[in-house]
Short mmCIF file of all heavy atoms in Angstrom, two decimals:
data_model
loop_
_atom_site.label_atom_id
_atom_site.label_comp_id
_atom_site.label_asym_id
_atom_site.label_seq_id
_atom_site.Cartn_x
_atom_site.Cartn_y
_atom_site.Cartn_z
N ASP A 70 107.09 128.13 132.52
CA ASP A 70 107.36 129.13 133.57
C ASP A 70 108.54 130.03 133.21
O ASP A 70 109.30 130.48 134.07
CB ASP A 70 107.60 128.42 134.92
CG ASP A 70 108.80 127.49 134.88
OD1 ASP A 70 109.40 127.29 133.79
OD2 ASP A 70 109.19 126.98 135.95
N MET A 115 128.03 108.20 108.36
CA MET A 115 127.20 108.08 107.16
C MET A 115 127.47 109.18 106.16
O MET A 115 126.96 109.15 105.01
CB MET A 115 125.71 108.12 107.53
CG MET A 115 125.26 106.87 108.25
SD MET A 115 123.73 107.16 109.23
CE MET A 115 122.57 107.57 107.91
N GLY A 116 128.27 110.19 106.58
CA GLY A 116 128.66 111.27 105.66
C GLY A 116 127.62 112.36 105.49
O GLY A 116 127.61 113.08 104.52
N HIS A 119 126.25 117.78 109.08
CA HIS A 119 126.74 119.10 108.69
C HIS A 119 126.83 120.05 109.93
O HIS A 119 126.02 119.90 110.84
CB HIS A 119 125.81 119.70 107.64
CG HIS A 119 126.24 121.02 107.11
ND1 HIS A 119 127.29 121.15 106.20
CD2 HIS A 119 125.77 122.28 107.34
CE1 HIS A 119 127.44 122.42 105.92
NE2 HIS A 119 126.54 123.14 106.58
N ALA A 133 131.51 122.07 107.64
CA ALA A 133 131.66 121.02 106.67
C ALA A 133 130.62 119.95 106.92
O ALA A 133 129.93 119.96 107.93
CB ALA A 133 133.04 120.38 106.76
N SER A 141 142.77 122.60 107.74
CA SER A 141 144.01 123.37 107.82
C SER A 141 145.25 122.50 108.21
O SER A 141 146.33 122.84 107.80
CB SER A 141 143.88 124.54 108.80
OG SER A 141 143.39 124.11 110.02
N CYS A 142 145.07 121.40 108.98
CA CYS A 142 146.29 120.65 109.34
C CYS A 142 146.23 119.19 108.86
O CYS A 142 147.14 118.41 109.15
CB CYS A 142 146.51 120.71 110.86
SG CYS A 142 145.41 119.61 111.81
N ASP A 158 119.51 134.72 116.63
CA ASP A 158 118.86 135.90 116.14
C ASP A 158 119.48 137.04 116.96
O ASP A 158 119.06 137.29 118.10
CB ASP A 158 117.34 135.84 116.37
CG ASP A 158 116.64 137.10 115.89
OD1 ASP A 158 117.31 138.15 115.76
OD2 ASP A 158 115.40 137.03 115.65
N GLY A 173 121.87 115.47 102.86
CA GLY A 173 122.12 114.35 101.98
C GLY A 173 121.11 113.19 102.09
O GLY A 173 121.23 112.19 101.40
N ASP A 177 117.39 118.97 103.44
CA ASP A 177 118.11 119.18 104.69
C ASP A 177 117.11 119.17 105.85
O ASP A 177 115.97 119.64 105.71
CB ASP A 177 118.80 120.54 104.69
CG ASP A 177 120.01 120.55 103.76
OD1 ASP A 177 120.17 119.61 102.99
OD2 ASP A 177 120.77 121.49 103.86
N CYS A 178 117.52 118.62 107.00
CA CYS A 178 116.69 118.70 108.19
C CYS A 178 117.57 118.86 109.39
O CYS A 178 118.76 118.62 109.36
CB CYS A 178 115.78 117.46 108.31
SG CYS A 178 116.71 115.95 108.64
N LEU A 198 101.81 108.88 131.46
CA LEU A 198 102.28 107.92 132.46
C LEU A 198 101.10 107.43 133.32
O LEU A 198 100.99 106.27 133.63
CB LEU A 198 103.34 108.58 133.34
CG LEU A 198 104.32 107.67 134.07
CD1 LEU A 198 105.02 106.72 133.12
CD2 LEU A 198 105.36 108.50 134.81
N LYS A 207 104.71 100.99 128.55
CA LYS A 207 103.41 101.27 127.96
C LYS A 207 103.30 102.76 127.63
O LYS A 207 102.83 103.13 126.57
CB LYS A 207 102.33 100.86 128.99
CG LYS A 207 101.01 100.46 128.34
CD LYS A 207 100.12 99.81 129.44
CE LYS A 207 98.67 99.90 129.02
NZ LYS A 207 97.79 99.58 130.18
N ALA A 208 103.74 103.59 128.56
CA ALA A 208 103.72 105.05 128.35
C ALA A 208 104.57 105.42 127.15
O ALA A 208 104.18 106.23 126.29
CB ALA A 208 104.18 105.80 129.59
N ARG A 213 102.75 109.80 120.93
CA ARG A 213 102.30 109.98 119.54
C ARG A 213 102.98 111.15 118.83
O ARG A 213 102.97 111.25 117.62
CB ARG A 213 100.77 110.19 119.50
CG ARG A 213 99.99 108.99 119.93
CD ARG A 213 99.85 107.95 118.83
NE ARG A 213 99.31 106.69 119.32
CZ ARG A 213 100.07 105.65 119.70
NH1 ARG A 213 101.37 105.72 119.63
NH2 ARG A 213 99.50 104.55 120.14
N HIS A 219 109.65 120.13 123.70
CA HIS A 219 110.54 119.73 122.62
C HIS A 219 110.09 120.29 121.29
O HIS A 219 110.85 120.78 120.48
CB HIS A 219 110.64 118.19 122.51
CG HIS A 219 111.19 117.55 123.77
ND1 HIS A 219 111.19 116.20 123.92
CD2 HIS A 219 111.75 118.08 124.87
CE1 HIS A 219 111.73 115.92 125.12
NE2 HIS A 219 112.10 117.05 125.68
N ILE A 240 112.26 119.21 111.07
CA ILE A 240 113.12 118.76 112.20
C ILE A 240 112.70 117.32 112.53
O ILE A 240 111.48 117.05 112.60
CB ILE A 240 113.11 119.72 113.39
CG1 ILE A 240 114.06 119.25 114.50
CG2 ILE A 240 111.70 119.90 113.93
CD1 ILE A 240 114.41 120.33 115.52
N ARG A 253 112.41 106.02 118.93
CA ARG A 253 111.26 106.45 118.16
C ARG A 253 111.67 107.67 117.32
O ARG A 253 112.62 108.34 117.73
CB ARG A 253 110.11 106.90 119.12
CG ARG A 253 109.65 105.86 120.13
CD ARG A 253 108.71 104.85 119.57
NE ARG A 253 107.58 105.43 118.89
CZ ARG A 253 106.43 105.77 119.46
NH1 ARG A 253 106.27 105.56 120.74
NH2 ARG A 253 105.42 106.28 118.75
N ILE A 267 106.30 133.19 121.49
CA ILE A 267 107.58 133.09 122.17
C ILE A 267 108.56 134.14 121.65
O ILE A 267 109.26 134.82 122.40
CB ILE A 267 108.17 131.67 122.02
CG1 ILE A 267 107.27 130.67 122.78
CG2 ILE A 267 109.59 131.57 122.54
CD1 ILE A 267 107.66 129.22 122.58
#
Side-chain angles (χ1 to χ4, degrees):
D70 61 353
M115 289 159 64
H119 183 74
S141 53
C142 77
D158 179 339
D177 288 13
C178 66
L198 204 54
K207 209 170 158 193
R213 293 280 169 265
H219 297 172
I240 183 163
R253 304 280 308 271
I267 293 173

